[in-house]
Amino acid sequence: MLRKNDVAGAQNQMQWLRKNAEKNAFIETLDARIQVARNNPQAAAAQYDKGLSAYPAHRGLIYGYAEHFLAINQPDKAIKLVQDKQSLYPNDAYFYDILAKAYAVKNKNLLRFQAQGESYYRQNNLQKAIEQMELAAKAKDGNFYEQSIVEARLKELRRLEENEKIADKRLS
């Protein structure tokens, strides 16, 4: 119903689920998405908070809440949420995509390109990861610490690329 923009119908079904189904993270996520569709950001935030209190590691809730923060132009909250939860799923490319979007809103180019590069790396696209890290290294808005991290990571990615080329030559 929600996919067909029948928000009232989805809300009615949500009430039924609350009465008849066992509690689970999917219901909490759906309820928050209904609040977003109803254009009720405060209720959506409250629902995401409630859902994450009960299911702190549920990716659907984390993704939804971070996307909600971006939609209401609160990139700092999206960044904090993702960084707080990222250790649970260190290889989740979508967390890095969210960070890249949030840093773009804040006009933090080094961090945006770095996050996008990490996303590509986790999607097994080493060439795109290197391209993004090169852009991050050229960005002039990072501090010494951020710049050093990017340069070290770029060096590591280039080493991985070289190792792949060597391995490919051996196989041919």
Side-chain angles (χ1 to χ4, degrees):
M1 291 179 172
L2 194 56
R3 286 185 188 148
K4 294 180 180 179
N5 290 325
D6 180 2
V7 179
Q11 185 68 47
N12 288 338
Q13 290 300 309
M14 178 54 60
Q15 290 171 355
W16 184 89
L17 284 171
R18 291 273 185 214
K19 291 178 187 171
N20 298 297
E22 286 186 38
K23 293 182 182 208
N24 68 62
F26 295 108
I27 291 174
E28 302 304 324
T29 303
L30 179 60
D31 199 355
R33 291 191 184 275
I34 290 170
Q35 297 308 320
V36 169
R38 292 178 66 208
N39 198 24
N40 192 341
Q42 293 86 5
Q47 182 55 42
Y48 279 123
D49 277 336
K50 178 183 167 199
L52 282 172
S53 291
Y55 307 98
H58 190 265
R59 277 194 256 204
L61 287 164
I62 299 165
Y63 292 164
Y65 206 3
E67 291 165 356
H68 174 68
F69 283 136
L70 291 176
I72 61 172
N73 200 28
Q74 294 184 347
D76 290 326
K77 288 185 178 182
I79 291 166
K80 181 173 179 358
L81 175 65
V82 169
Q83 289 176 339
D84 287 349
K85 300 295 185 176
Q86 207 163 25
S87 63
L88 299 170
Y89 307 102
N91 292 316
D92 189 323
Y94 192 60
F95 280 161
Y96 288 98
D97 287 336
I98 292 169
L99 287 174
K101 290 175 188 173
Y103 288 129
V105 170
K106 293 174 58 73
N107 291 317
K108 300 235 177 211
N109 290 319
L110 180 142
L111 296 173
R112 172 178 59 132
F113 293 131
Q114 178 189 24
Q116 193 61 61
E118 293 297 345
S119 173
Y120 283 132
Y121 176 74
R122 281 155 181 79
Q123 295 173 50
N124 297 314
N125 191 334
L126 188 55
Q127 188 57 46
K128 288 250 189 217
I130 290 170
E131 288 172 13
Q132 291 297 307
M133 285 298 168
E134 287 171 343
L135 290 170
K138 292 176 187 172
K140 302 293 183 205
D141 63 343
N143 61 36
F144 174 78
Y145 178 71
E146 293 165 341
Q147 194 71 39
S148 297
I149 290 170
V150 165
E151 288 170 6
R153 184 64 167 146
L154 179 57
K155 186 183 274 187
E156 180 182 359
L157 293 174
R158 285 179 175 154
R159 188 171 36 251
L160 289 171
E161 181 182 45
E162 188 60 35
N163 289 344
E164 280 185 7
K165 287 178 183 176
I166 291 168
D168 288 346
K169 283 182 183 178
R170 287 182 182 161
L171 292 175
S172 1

